[in-house]
Amino acid sequence: MKTVFSMLLTLLLVCTSCGNDDNSTIQATNITFNFNHDWDGNQVTNTNFNTLDFTNENGEKMSITKLRYLISDIVFTDENDIETRIDGYNLVDVTNAEGLSFTATSGLANGTYKNVSFTFGFNNNDNYQNYTDLNSASWNVPSMLGGGYHFLQLEGKFIDSTNDEVGYAYHAIRAVDNSVSPQKFQDTFFEVNLGEVTISNNTVFNINMNIAEWFKGPNTWDLNVLNNMLMPNFDAQVMMFENGQNVFSLEP
Amino acid sequence: MRHWLAYAKVLIVFICISCSNEDTAQYTPTPTQLQIPKLFEDNILNPVIPLNNPQTVEGISLGKKLFFDPILSRDNTIACADCHNPKHAFTDPNRFSDGVDGLLGSRNSMPLFNLAWNYDEKFFWDGSSFSIEHQAFAPVTNPIEMANTWPTVEEKLIQHPEYPELFKQAFGASTIDSTLVTRAIAQFERTLISSNSKFDKHLLGETTLTSEELNGFNVFMDETRGDCFHCHGSDKNPLWTDNAFHNNGLDNTFTDLGLGNITGDPADNGKFKSPSLRNLAFTAPYMHDGRFLTLEDVINHYSEGLKNSPTIDPLMKKVAQGGVRLTSKDKADLKAFLLTLTDQEFISNPNFISP
């Protein structure tokens, strides 16, 4: 499944090549985003999946069998606080090694930007649109939970307190409380600020997700208690949101 | 965002058209489009149609004839349709199918519909065959299916009173080979589209579900009850499958390794492709080995019959208790909902019945 970003890139190229023959002043800047993953410093790819090689903060041995997540809306802010937005989204699918990298073409001027950010998940406006590629990837959230899309699916096994191997499904969505009517929502998408960057042509950003952070802080995650049926669990969703604040960083 | 995507589709269509105009002298097959159902168009990606095998009226009709013709088998006794019966949504009501010598396989036949929307193009229970075209090579030479050789098939078709002309019309070809046979069959298979179930009509606002069916749908979508939607589609994914491979907890140990046999990775042992839940009313028995005769059996399996193993999917929860233990009402309603995915029009469509 190709990402929308690569579609946009192709289109931009096609459109540019058709229309802008004499417009030589517009500089197309290629910006590549790579998504890397680690567990407290040890690199994680799908080749590290399916074995109980990780130990989380709470002390459980655990494995990863599936990891995919959604990022959207990349924003560059220049020294004068002017924002340039690269609209779109990318489903990073570590399990199948798809969407781990994408290149966007933008009209961004070279130079220093005081911040670059992206959204983990979808903001509320984007979340309630209909995306054929995400539907095809079975990425939806049931309408009984308000609809929209998953932000993260992290699944695997862990050794529980009685020494049994048990599955977990750590799925992040917009938090919803179904016990009240009307349903109560709390936003759980968040902006990831990567700090100051310098753009030249063909800039590459290596963004890292430390998977261990999802289980670390501020909430030490106890898989014995919270391993499954987390989508309708309002409090668990808020905890995921809180733990998510520190998972991403920009590699030097 | 959506506009750009739509634009991209148009563009791709243009590119496709301009690529497929090979010169075929006096025989030019008539291009035709797949009729993409509205719910598919609105919600999921376009079907996969290879550039080198565009749909044509003549190709589809030839493929249909071949699909129903026992000529492909060694002793002229077995057609694709014998194991893929249109009345059963193109599968076999027998647990295992009879091949030419009465030999039985060890897997249940698979229903054939909406195959063009299998984006990863992995076919068979274990995903061992890539693309519809490529899959169609397999049954002809499989010793427990048609047990033939391709040179024999090609010779029989060349000697046949009608086929040479039909291949000319479909492909402008003066000779007949296995590649063209599989292309024609694949074109026919891509037309097998099922999209007119009661649930589809409900989504289109053309009918309403009973309260039992609606509750059953909620059981299906509810992570604390059925939680079927992570693997079997939803109101937003009208395929009712993710076309991916999972171990849904049938066995503690495996006689058939499934995907693991293909990838060689023990982490894939016991994984099989999630089947679509459309047309279950016609496709019993269920699972890769046809072990369950009824939908009650299937639901009981997920509810309290789960068997643990190292590769069981993490989405199979409460395995130690056998499953989520649905109430009898939820079970009955879940079954009622599953049956709303039955498409009567699909099994009676005259385009899909023996010519």
Side-chain angles (χ1 to χ4, degrees):
Chain A
M1 225 158 288
K2 299 288 162 304
T3 66
V4 171
F5 280 116
S6 55
M7 281 275 232
L8 294 188
L9 172 64
T10 326
L11 271 178
L12 272 174
L13 289 183
V14 171
C15 300
T16 325
S17 59
C18 295
N20 284 339
D21 286 349
D22 48 7
N23 198 345
S24 50
T25 51
I26 289 189
Q27 245 216 301
T29 319
N30 285 334
I31 305 175
T32 299
F33 296 86
N34 295 329
F35 291 87
N36 304 329
H37 307 86
D38 76 349
W39 187 281
D40 284 338
N42 296 318
Q43 198 198 4
V44 176
T45 68
N46 59 3
T47 59
N48 307 102
F49 279 20
N50 304 314
T51 45
L52 294 157
D53 281 348
F54 308 108
T55 306
N56 65 26
E57 185 75 3
N58 202 46
E60 284 88 30
K61 276 192 162 326
M62 56 183 287
S63 70
I64 299 168
T65 57
K66 184 197 275 178
L67 173 57
R68 38 183 200 165
Y69 58 93
L70 182 75
I71 66 112
S72 61
D73 281 1
I74 295 166
V75 180
F76 290 87
T77 310
D78 73 10
E79 314 278 68
N80 304 317
D81 285 327
I82 296 174
E83 296 188 343
T84 308
R85 185 173 296 269
I86 306 182
D87 248 334
Y89 57 91
N90 184 46
L91 183 62
V92 182
D93 181 347
V94 185
T95 320
N96 297 306
E98 284 170 19
L100 297 179
S101 178
F102 68 85
T103 301
T105 305
S106 75
L108 219 56
N110 289 348
T112 303
Y113 290 79
K114 67 179 193 190
N115 189 35
V116 53
S117 70
F118 63 83
T119 300
F120 172 75
F122 268 148
N123 67 28
N124 294 337
N125 184 41
D126 290 342
N127 197 27
Y128 301 109
Q129 315 288 325
N130 194 31
Y131 304 94
T132 54
D133 56 342
L134 298 180
N135 297 343
S136 301
S138 295
W139 192 243
N140 305 83
V141 169
S143 44
M144 60 168 71
L145 297 178
Y149 293 88
H150 283 82
F151 298 168
L152 169 88
Q153 289 181 340
L154 171 56
E155 297 173 11
K157 306 289 178 68
F158 71 101
I159 304 294
D160 75 2
S161 48
T162 59
N163 226 12
D164 284 331
E165 187 173 315
V166 176
Y168 70 87
Y170 189 111
H171 289 195
I173 63 171
R174 187 180 183 209
V176 54
D177 183 352
N178 257 352
S179 68
V180 293
S181 175
Q183 293 170 312
K184 190 179 96 186
F185 288 95
Q186 185 169 320
D187 293 345
T188 54
F189 68 87
F190 53 86
E191 213 173 80
V192 178
N193 293 306
L194 299 173
E196 188 181 287
V197 296
T198 306
I199 300 292
S200 54
N201 210 3
N202 302 320
T203 303
V204 178
F205 292 118
N206 289 310
I207 294 162
N208 186 66
M209 175 198 272
N210 181 358
I211 304 164
E213 285 288 349
W214 287 109
F215 301 91
K216 206 175 263 183
N219 309 291
T220 305
W221 198 273
D222 186 352
L223 281 174
N224 293 291
V225 183
L226 295 171
N227 52 59
N228 234 312
M229 305 192 258
L230 303 179
M231 293 175 72
N233 185 334
F234 185 90
D235 295 336
Q237 290 304 325
V238 173
M239 284 164 65
M240 292 180 196
F241 162 78
E242 290 168 353
N243 284 12
Q245 304 301 316
N246 295 319
V247 305
F248 290 103
S249 59
L250 186 62
E251 288 173 6
Chain B
M1 222 152 8
R2 281 192 56 106
H3 284 246
W4 290 4
L5 266 172
Y7 191 52
K9 275 187 209 157
V10 176
L11 205 88
I12 287 164
V13 169
F14 274 124
I15 295 172
C16 301
I17 291 170
S18 58
C19 295
S20 60
N21 275 341
E22 283 159 29
D23 199 48
T24 42
Q26 64 260 60
Y27 292 103
T28 312
T30 323
T32 178
Q33 303 269 315
L34 280 187
Q35 297 299 310
I36 302 181
K38 177 165 171 30
L39 287 173
F40 291 34
E41 180 79 57
D42 288 351
N43 291 304
I44 54 174
L45 295 170
N46 279 335
V48 180
I49 302 172
L51 291 181
N52 64 8
N53 193 22
Q55 298 286 114
T56 66
V57 174
E58 294 80 2
I60 294 166
S61 133
L62 170 60
K64 177 178 175 185
K65 187 173 167 64
L66 289 164
F67 188 90
F68 286 95
D69 196 336
I71 194 170
L72 297 181
S73 67
R74 190 186 66 214
D75 56 4
N76 298 307
T77 59
I78 295 206
C80 306
D82 285 311
C83 303
H84 298 286
N85 182 339
K87 287 207 207 71
H88 293 276
F90 290 87
T91 186
D92 189 340
N94 297 309
R95 180 168 184 190
F96 303 121
S97 311
D98 263 331
V100 284
D101 298 314
L103 292 176
L104 294 181
S106 57
R107 290 194 184 152
N108 186 225
S109 180
M110 303 175 85
L112 308 180
F113 50 78
N114 304 340
L115 299 181
W117 282 267
N118 180 349
Y119 304 109
D120 292 337
E121 298 186 70
K122 291 182 182 157
F123 293 94
F124 285 138
W125 282 108
D126 56 14
S128 58
S129 186
F130 181 83
S131 91
I132 306 182
E133 277 76 5
H134 190 252
Q135 189 286 329
F137 280 98
V140 172
T141 55
N142 186 334
I144 58 166
E145 294 187 351
M146 294 168 147
N148 214 338
T149 67
W150 276 109
T152 314
V153 174
E154 288 161 359
E155 192 52 34
K156 277 204 275 187
L157 292 171
I158 288 166
Q159 298 306 327
H160 192 272
E162 295 159 51
Y163 276 114
E165 178 61 22
L166 296 176
F167 275 88
K168 260 184 212 153
Q169 287 171 9
F171 298 106
S174 55
T175 183
I176 296 178
D177 64 20
S178 55
T179 304
L180 295 183
V181 172
T182 58
R183 283 188 186 172
I185 292 177
Q187 286 185 40
F188 170 62
E189 288 177 299
R190 287 195 175 88
T191 67
L192 304 176
I193 298 172
S194 172
S195 66
N196 291 317
S197 68
K198 183 176 182 185
F199 197 85
D200 295 306
K201 291 178 182 156
H202 154 73
L203 290 178
L204 293 167
E206 294 166 8
T207 190
T208 46
L209 300 183
T210 66
S211 59
E212 288 80 14
E213 290 162 347
L214 269 178
N215 180 51
F217 175 60
N218 287 338
V219 173
F220 185 91
M221 298 298 290
D222 186 343
E223 242 207 349
T224 64
R225 293 189 283 170
D227 189 10
C228 317
F229 73 96
H230 279 114
C231 302
H232 282 297
S234 69
D235 50 334
K236 292 290 182 190
N237 185 333
L239 302 176
W240 299 99
T241 171
D242 61 0
N243 278 312
F245 300 83
H246 308 272
N247 170 356
N248 66 343
L250 293 174
D251 296 300
N252 296 118
T253 55
F254 315 113
T255 42
D256 185 341
L257 296 182
L259 181 66
N261 207 22
I262 305 309
T263 61
D265 182 350
D268 290 333
N269 286 354
K271 291 188 184 174
F272 293 88
K273 187 161 70 178
S274 318
S276 172
L277 300 185
R278 281 183 183 273
N279 297 316
L280 292 170
F282 314 125
T283 62
Y286 306 108
M287 304 300 165
H288 69 274
D289 54 4
R291 68 176 68 192
F292 295 136
L293 292 180
T294 66
L295 287 178
E296 282 83 0
D297 293 344
V298 173
I299 292 170
N300 288 338
H301 161 71
Y302 284 112
S303 178
E304 56 258 341
L306 297 178
K307 304 244 172 59
N308 207 359
S309 64
T311 59
I312 190 172
D313 199 284
L315 292 168
M316 298 288 113
K317 48 187 154 283
K318 303 205 171 164
V319 184
Q321 292 92 287
V324 287
R325 298 186 175 261
L326 299 173
T327 64
S328 50
K329 164 142 178 65
D330 279 353
K331 285 185 184 178
D333 291 355
L334 177 56
K335 178 182 169 188
F337 157 68
L338 290 174
L339 291 176
T340 68
L341 300 173
T342 307
D343 182 354
Q344 290 288 346
E345 289 169 40
F346 179 67
I347 63 156
S348 52
N349 188 332
N351 295 329
F352 303 157
I353 289 173
S354 176

